[in-house]
Amino acid sequence: MAVKISEFFVHHRHNTIAFIMLVEILLAVLGATAAWYLWDVLRMDPLFIIFLILGLLLAIQMMLTPLVYRITGHPLKIISQAIAHVSNDPIQTPPPDVNHPKYERSGLKAMVQTIYELAVSSHHEATEAKNDNSGPYRTILNNAPCGIVALNDQGEVVLANPIAPTHETTSSGLELELMFEQSNNLEMWLAQAKDTKVRDTKVWHRIADSIPGEDGRRIFDVVAYYNKNGEQNIEVILITIDRTAEYAPDDDNMDFIALAAHELRGPITVIRGYLDLLDDELKPLLQPDQQVLMDRLQVSAEQLSGYINNILNVSRYDRNHLSLHLHEEHLIDILKSLAPDLALRAKTKKRRLIFRIPTDLPTIAADRSSLSEVINNLIDNGIKYSQDDGEVIITAAVKGNFIEITVQDFGIGIPSAIVGNLFSKFYRSHRSRQQVSGTGLGLYICKAIIESHGGSIWVRSVEGEGSTFGFTMPIYSTVADKLGKDDNGNAQIIERADGWIKNHAMYRR
Ligand code: ADP
């Protein structure tokens, strides 16, 4: 029968005394036997025998002492190991193994379990004290100058301080109110961290809690910390720093620019129309140098129109209003319709466009005008950022469920240090800011459009040698069953790497 905890010490004392007495008796028997042997058989001098036996017994006892202590002190060792294991000692002590039945009988297992239970309950008390509404921790949370949000392993908000961007849900829980970019959001990071890491940290900039134009819109920098088996099932801690004062003016500028761009779109469309008309009418009469001027006029008008479209699209995208209507399209048809304008632009800038497009490509699911804008932007960049007589090569090929389209130039290239920034809003490299006109919005909107189609965009570049931009578009047959099911016939759902998304409203939560 197992010994009770309250009797453990008495039981252990009895065992120890019994064990030591046994050893002493064994030694006494050994000494007596040896004395008898020396006196009776070897006929030695009794006084010599007494000294010899006493000396021998002393030596044997000294040698046995560590062993005896090791056996009798063993429970003490196990108990101190268990205490060290549950202590906050930075040197992590492994827990003692008390699974042998003898530990159960001796009551040592129960002792160790009690130590663990006590440690756990004292830890709970300490954390409860921390969570106590009236405690200093609540005061710190309430007065912290940044939002603090804790999420459990289901991604649910379990704690948030008052200034954190959260709102109450109908089920009276709290929900995070942050609009991450589709391609770089909290869920994606978390899924990746859960798969591959025990701890991870991530920072996002310019994350708003609502779309532009809404009252009380706030824009944050967000820091997230992930800890796999966090205490109390808290797996993620988010810190939100309100940077509205710094970031909102950019948005206001964008609002103004978008308004101006909207107003400019009408006149520029008219100018382009009349320029085309003039070109047709005057072609037979113009001298070659006059024709060059006419071409330049047309190219500039078209470039201006491209900038305006980009600006409008960016403002739509930022407001979650970029709408795409996916239909079955032949890439070659789209390229053919863009080719005359692109060729004119290339000719005016003395570049050569080379199309290497197989004729038997499968159809793609695309929003024609948005895809045209992407192709225009990339080829335009290829033309802008290369030298006279430079080639710009456009290719297309099937890659799994997608068609990959690439635009390669042999121009100035992009330093590797800045490649990561290219797809950000307003980003222009230092060099191109000085040498080539532009807005820094083209690639940002290309990325938004491509990702809203469920594709991805990439760049490979060597400074001084040239760049290749590539992007993928879904093959129509692979997404056909997901398209065209909605009532107005527009495609509204498309697959992304992270699941199915609605693309009609740039669902970005
Ligand atoms: P913009 O061309 O109007 O400046 P983009 O968003 O299209 O804006 O491009 C952002 C930046 O990326 C450009 O300013 C330029 O520095 C760089 N870039 C884009 N395409 C190329 C290219 N083909 N070669 C070299 N640099 C490029």
Side-chain angles (χ1 to χ4, degrees):
M1 208 181 75
V3 173
K4 291 192 194 121
I5 289 180
S6 55
E7 292 162 0
F8 175 79
F9 174 70
V10 177
H11 184 258
H12 175 61
R13 190 178 61 195
H14 288 167
N15 277 351
T16 307
I17 292 172
F19 179 69
I20 291 175
M21 281 172 70
L22 183 72
V23 172
E24 299 290 331
I25 289 168
L26 278 177
L27 282 178
V29 171
L30 184 73
T33 315
W36 170 82
Y37 181 76
L38 294 174
W39 183 69
D40 198 39
V41 180
L42 299 181
R43 302 271 162 206
M44 281 186 171
D45 177 42
L47 201 62
F48 175 73
I49 292 175
I50 289 172
F51 280 116
L52 182 69
I53 295 294
L54 279 180
L56 270 176
L57 286 181
L58 196 67
I60 294 174
Q61 201 162 27
M62 278 171 71
M63 282 191 299
L64 282 180
T65 302
L67 183 69
V68 169
Y69 183 74
R70 206 183 153 117
I71 294 169
T72 56
H74 187 64
L76 186 61
K77 181 180 163 197
I78 298 275
I79 290 170
S80 34
Q81 261 180 0
I83 294 175
H85 177 64
V86 296
S87 74
N88 288 329
D89 198 312
I91 302 167
Q92 293 278 307
T93 312
D97 180 9
V98 285
N99 285 326
H100 195 282
K102 73 178 176 197
Y103 293 124
E104 184 130 21
R105 284 196 303 273
S106 69
L108 197 55
K109 187 169 179 175
M111 281 295 277
V112 169
Q113 273 166 351
T114 310
I115 291 170
Y116 291 163
E117 278 158 24
L118 287 174
V120 171
S121 67
S122 78
H123 178 76
H124 277 272
E125 275 167 29
T127 23
E128 267 161 28
K130 281 185 204 165
N131 294 339
D132 182 356
N133 275 354
S134 58
Y137 295 96
R138 178 53 61 177
T139 315
I140 293 169
L141 274 183
N142 284 345
N143 295 299
C146 55
I148 300 171
V149 183
L151 309 179
N152 64 15
D153 59 359
Q154 303 296 312
E156 295 156 348
V157 176
V158 288
L159 181 144
N161 66 349
I163 66 164
T166 55
H167 67 253
E168 285 211 8
T169 60
T170 41
S171 54
S172 77
L174 284 176
E175 203 168 67
L176 203 56
E177 216 168 15
L178 287 173
M179 304 178 73
F180 288 92
E181 266 182 40
Q182 233 171 29
S183 57
N184 181 18
N185 63 33
L186 178 67
E187 278 104 333
M188 284 165 77
W189 167 74
L190 200 52
Q192 201 185 16
K194 276 181 191 233
D195 275 357
T196 56
K197 309 240 168 86
V198 177
R199 291 191 190 87
D200 199 12
T201 315
K202 166 97 180 157
V203 180
W204 291 266
H205 297 286
R206 283 181 187 268
I207 307 297
D209 62 351
S210 54
I211 57 174
E214 275 190 16
D215 278 351
R217 179 172 192 256
R218 293 186 294 163
I219 311 171
F220 303 90
D221 283 346
V222 179
V223 185
Y225 172 69
Y226 169 75
N227 183 3
K228 200 174 208 55
N229 298 315
E231 281 174 19
Q232 304 214 341
N233 196 20
I234 290 179
E235 216 173 58
V236 178
I237 297 172
L238 293 175
I239 307 286
T240 57
I241 302 156
D242 191 336
R243 308 274 318 268
T244 315
E246 287 92 335
Y247 292 151
D250 282 351
D251 275 16
D252 294 345
N253 288 345
M254 197 63 214
D255 280 355
F256 172 73
I257 294 169
L259 187 79
H262 192 262
E263 295 305 309
L264 283 172
R265 201 152 72 149
I268 191 68
T269 314
V270 175
I271 291 173
R272 283 184 64 198
Y274 282 120
L275 275 177
D276 283 349
L277 204 68
L278 259 182
D279 190 36
D280 286 348
E281 300 273 320
L282 296 179
K283 215 165 205 121
L285 311 171
L286 289 180
Q287 302 295 321
D289 52 342
Q290 289 172 325
Q291 183 62 48
V292 171
L293 292 181
M294 178 57 108
D295 286 352
R296 282 199 191 146
L297 257 180
Q298 276 182 301
V299 166
S300 296
E302 207 193 306
Q303 217 163 18
L304 188 58
S305 155
Y307 289 157
I308 289 171
N309 272 345
N310 276 345
I311 293 167
L312 281 174
N313 273 334
V314 168
S315 85
R316 283 190 195 127
Y317 175 67
D318 286 354
R319 283 177 159 71
N320 279 10
H321 286 166
L322 185 69
S323 76
L324 299 178
H325 305 299
L326 307 202
H327 295 291
E328 183 171 17
E329 301 282 358
H330 287 275
L331 178 68
I332 200 113
D333 290 348
I334 298 180
L335 289 173
K336 273 184 189 157
S337 70
L338 299 174
D341 282 349
L342 288 169
L344 184 60
R345 254 181 280 169
K347 195 180 104 194
T348 320
K349 289 262 189 179
K350 301 198 180 69
R351 312 285 197 267
R352 280 189 302 137
L353 291 189
I354 300 171
F355 288 90
R356 292 191 185 139
I357 313 292
T359 46
D360 56 348
L361 284 176
T363 53
I364 50 177
D367 178 285
R368 194 179 177 112
S369 69
S370 303
L371 176 59
S372 304
E373 216 165 307
V374 173
I375 296 171
N376 265 325
N377 272 321
L378 295 183
I379 297 184
D380 219 31
N381 281 347
I383 294 174
K384 277 196 314 195
Y385 300 108
S386 53
Q387 292 88 11
D388 282 2
D389 295 326
E391 287 180 348
V392 178
I393 303 173
I394 298 99
T395 70
V398 174
K399 280 265 159 82
N401 287 342
F402 293 85
I403 287 192
E404 185 175 69
I405 297 134
T406 65
V407 178
Q408 183 180 17
D409 68 65
F410 303 89
I412 62 172
I414 303 156
S416 53
I418 64 166
V419 164
N421 300 326
L422 288 186
F423 297 99
S424 309
K425 193 157 65 174
F426 295 124
Y427 186 81
R428 307 204 64 222
S429 92
H430 188 63
R431 284 245 307 272
S432 45
R433 244 178 293 165
Q434 291 163 350
Q435 296 165 5
V436 188
S437 65
T439 56
L441 293 176
L443 291 179
Y444 175 72
I445 199 64
C446 285
K447 183 166 186 270
I449 291 172
I450 296 300
E451 289 184 349
S452 304
H453 277 81
S456 56
I457 186 164
W458 52 263
V459 55
R460 256 196 320 262
S461 185
V462 178
E463 197 178 4
E465 290 183 18
S467 317
T468 305
F469 284 82
F471 64 91
T472 53
M473 283 273 119
I475 290 177
Y476 181 77
S477 59
T478 66
V479 291
D481 56 330
K482 305 288 185 302
L483 304 179
K485 281 189 184 155
D486 54 315
D487 40 19
N488 62 10
N490 290 328
Q492 297 204 338
I493 311 268
I494 187 111
E495 191 180 15
R496 294 168 43 85
D498 50 343
W500 289 92
I501 57 152
K502 289 182 182 178
N503 77 20
H504 66 296
M506 301 297 296
Y507 183 73
R508 297 205 280 152
R509 179 59 51 89

